[in-house]
Amino acid sequence: MSTDKNQTDRSSCCASCGVAEVDGDIKLKECVDCDLVRYCSDECQKNHKLQHEEACKKRVAELRDELLFKQPESTYLGDCPICCLPMPLDVQKSATYQCCSK
C-alpha cells in the first residue's frame, strides 16, 4: 500500500525540485520515455537526468518487452502460429505450414 502512495506522491510533484501540482498554475510534464516521473520545467528535467537515467532505461526496456511479447487476446485455430496467416491445409495431415513453410 505504501508503494501506491509513493507512486501517487511521485506523480503529483516535480521529481527534481518537489514542486507540487496542486492548482492549475503548475502543469507537470511526464518523462517522454518512461512516464515514471514528472517535471515542472525543462531545467528540472535536465538537472534530474543523471539520477533518473538508470530507472528510465529499465522501464523503457520493460515497456518494449511488454509490447513485443504480448500474447494475442484469443487463439485463432487454423492460423499459422508463426506468420498468423490462415492455413488452407489440414493441420493433422501436413508436416509443414504452407503459408510460411516452417
Side-chain angles (χ1 to χ4, degrees), residues 1-13 38:
M1 185 142 186
S2 64
T3 345
D4 294 338
K5 185 182 179 208
N6 288 341
Q7 184 67 24
T8 305
D9 290 345
R10 254 188 276 151
S11 65
S12 64
C13 64
R38 298 173 77 185

Side-chain angles (χ1 to χ4, degrees), residues 7-35:
Q7 184 67 24
T8 305
D9 290 345
R10 254 188 276 151
S11 65
S12 64
C13 64
C14 178
S16 181
C17 67
V19 171
E21 183 181 42
V22 179
D23 300 327
D25 298 340
I26 299 173
K27 291 287 185 184
L28 298 177
K29 303 173 198 170
E30 293 179 343
C31 174
V32 177
D33 296 325
C34 69
D35 298 332

Side-chain angles (χ1 to χ4, degrees), residues 30-83:
E30 293 179 343
C31 174
V32 177
D33 296 325
C34 69
D35 298 332
L36 285 177
V37 296
R38 298 173 77 185
Y39 300 102
C40 63
S41 66
D42 292 335
E43 184 180 339
C44 279
Q45 188 172 6
K46 288 176 186 175
N47 292 340
H48 192 252
K49 182 178 180 178
L50 292 175
Q51 297 169 349
H52 175 62
E53 193 169 14
E54 186 177 333
C56 186
K57 285 181 181 179
K58 183 179 176 184
R59 180 63 183 149
V60 168
E62 290 171 359
L63 291 172
R64 179 185 166 274
D65 289 346
E66 287 175 15
L67 182 64
L68 283 177
F69 299 110
K70 182 179 178 183
Q71 295 295 319
E73 292 178 10
S74 62
T75 61
Y76 297 97
L77 298 175
D79 289 354
C80 174
I82 298 168
C83 66

